[in-house]
Amino acid sequence: MTAHTGPHPTRRLILQGAASVALIGLGNLPFAPVRAAANDKYPEEVFKLKNEADAIKALYGKTAEPSDKVRLDAPEIAENGGVVPISVTTTLDKVTSISLFVAENPNALAASYKIAEGTMPAVANRLKMAKTSNVTAIVEADGKLYSATKEVKVTVGGCGG
Amino acid sequence: MTSSIRVRATSNGDITEVQTLIQHPMDTGLVKDAKGELIPAHYIQQLKFACNGKDVFVANWGTAVSKDPYVKFSFKGAKKGDDLKISWTDNKGGSDETTAKIA
């Protein structure tokens, strides 16, 4: 059966899991440090997170509610996952940031845009998608989060293959 | 050397529309080269647009942004002839910047 000579991979995974749970727990404290999205620093750690829900939480510290005021334009089918044109617009007021997540990518957060006062709450860019996945746009408006999600089918992945 | 940044900023009097194309490999660090060796991650992390001393738009990017990235946005408060400063930094400490006149 299992050898007891070294750290067992499963055990290590469990320990890592426990560590991230502890971190998320800390994030819920009322005196939590300023969120990554709220300051100007590049959120390097958030870009390393694999899971979309974790990334949203790490970036914003809260969850988003789906809203029909957020419009996510993405193709139904992307023939080339390396270049998927995606744009987000919203009719919401007081927008301070727009972020894009690709759930099935190796790292969920793809791009996060800071919208200054006077800048239109709209952005168009091109993202890589490893495979067919939900794409989620999150709009931060007046301190709240709103989202729109769309599935994009990818026929050729964008990660070299 | 020519700039890595190509930008077109046009004003309709009220709103300035900015389209930018940057030459950058945006390597994810997950792709292997012809010899089967991993190409190290090399990607733009932050791209800033400043006009009249104010950051009007800041992009934080991960490796999922396509090679030779394109981004489009628009903002108010500038007029024709104003300068728009565009600058980026990547994960290897590389950077570039340029200034475009709003047309």
Side-chain angles (χ1 to χ4, degrees):
Chain A
M1 283 298 290
T2 319
H4 288 277
T5 45
H8 193 275
T10 314
R11 184 168 166 264
R12 191 175 290 172
L13 271 177
I14 291 166
L15 285 172
Q16 277 175 355
S20 46
V21 167
L23 279 174
I24 290 164
L26 280 176
N28 287 336
L29 288 173
F31 302 108
V34 181
R35 287 286 151 198
N39 59 42
D40 282 340
K41 254 191 87 205
Y42 177 74
E44 182 137 20
E45 295 306 314
V46 184
F47 277 105
K48 289 180 186 160
L49 295 173
K50 300 192 182 317
N51 178 280
E52 180 180 278
D54 290 349
I56 294 171
K57 198 150 196 175
L59 192 63
Y60 289 111
K62 50 196 159 202
T63 51
E65 57 173 270
S67 167
D68 56 10
K69 288 180 177 164
V70 178
R71 211 180 94 191
L72 172 64
D73 275 328
E76 298 274 332
I77 296 174
E79 284 184 10
N80 176 4
V83 188
V84 184
I86 289 171
S87 66
V88 184
T89 55
T90 176
T91 52
L92 292 158
D93 281 334
K94 296 184 188 169
V95 173
T96 48
S97 77
I98 296 175
S99 299
L100 285 162
F101 299 83
V102 182
E104 300 295 331
N105 267 7
N107 306 98
L109 177 59
S112 180
Y113 297 96
K114 266 183 231 321
I115 309 294
E117 209 181 324
T119 298
M120 308 294 120
V123 61
N125 65 6
R126 300 194 291 223
L127 301 181
K128 284 180 260 196
M129 293 182 62
K131 55 183 166 188
T132 297
S133 170
N134 275 341
V135 176
T136 298
I138 293 210
V139 173
E140 183 183 29
D142 203 12
K144 289 206 178 85
L145 300 185
Y146 304 90
S147 69
T149 299
K150 187 176 174 184
E151 190 193 47
V152 178
K153 289 191 167 60
V154 174
T155 48
V156 181
C159 288
Chain B
M1 194 189 122
T2 54
S3 173
S4 65
I5 305 169
R6 281 175 57 200
V7 60
R8 191 162 72 189
T10 49
S11 168
N12 69 1
D14 181 31
I15 293 171
T16 303
E17 185 184 87
V18 183
Q19 290 188 78
T20 310
L21 199 57
I22 301 170
Q23 273 184 14
H24 200 283
M26 297 300 283
D27 288 317
T28 59
L30 304 168
V31 180
K32 288 177 180 150
D33 64 14
K35 288 184 209 149
E37 285 169 35
L38 276 180
I39 302 166
H42 186 201
Y43 59 100
I44 293 177
Q45 294 188 316
Q46 202 165 55
L47 166 71
K48 286 187 179 184
F49 296 80
C51 186
N52 298 323
K54 182 187 151 198
D55 282 345
V56 291
F57 189 80
V58 178
N60 286 318
W61 282 346
T63 54
V65 172
S66 300
K67 181 187 171 186
D68 297 336
Y70 164 86
V71 66
K72 179 171 114 175
F73 73 98
S74 31
F75 68 102
K76 287 181 182 173
K79 54 187 188 303
K80 284 180 202 287
D82 283 355
D83 281 340
L84 181 71
K85 190 183 152 200
I86 303 110
S87 57
W88 61 254
T89 51
D90 70 24
N91 68 317
K92 288 183 170 180
S95 65
D96 197 6
E97 62 174 62
T98 191
T99 302
K101 279 250 184 291
I102 295 169

